Amino acid sequence: MKIGARIYYENATGNIILNTGDRSGDVVETTRDQDFASYAVLAERVPETVDMVQLDYGQYYADYAEGGVITRIDLDTLEPLLTYPGPVEPETPQEQRPALSKQVDALIQDSTLLKAQSKALAERAAFTDDVIAEIAIEVYK
């Protein structure tokens, strides 16, 4: 069985309390109450002040491989915000942002749309050029 990570966070701030991590093999799905009983960092909290996001197994694998760490939950979108090591100074904290994998997916989608629009505009321009040429031929006969 493969179980995705659970991200427990403060519902007032979005700050991460616990990331259970992905689990696989001989594991069983636990309930929220079981997690509060099992993890000391949760047991010391008032349950009503804590919310949780359930991730799919391996959902942010590419981001973790790039050094990404989930540091907060965006309270508007309920999406994890990550920090990544800086390219020049890896120890310097970076600004929290959506997962790079999600940003790449959005850029691919935008690129596909822009290519389709560019092709449509090129076809329209070619058609317009043909119409103008035909009109010019008719006018200069």
Side-chain angles (χ1 to χ4, degrees), residues 4 20-21 40 46 61 67 70 78 80 84 86 102 130:
T20 64
V46 176
Y61 178 77
I70 296 175
L78 298 182
Y84 296 86
K102 291 203 182 267
D130 290 345

Side-chain angles (χ1 to χ4, degrees), residues 110-133:
D110 289 350
S111 175
T112 302
L113 178 61
L114 289 171
K115 285 178 185 176
Q117 290 173 338
S118 177
K119 181 179 178 185
L121 287 172
E123 290 170 357
R124 184 174 176 183
F127 175 77
T128 302
D129 288 346
D130 290 345
V131 169
I132 291 171

Side-chain angles (χ1 to χ4, degrees), residues 44-65:
E44 62 191 27
R45 303 274 181 161
V46 176
E48 292 77 25
T49 66
V50 176
D51 280 329
M52 183 260 303
V53 173
Q54 176 74 51
L55 303 179
D56 293 333
Y57 183 84
Q59 186 170 350
Y60 288 96
Y61 178 77
D63 297 287
Y64 295 145

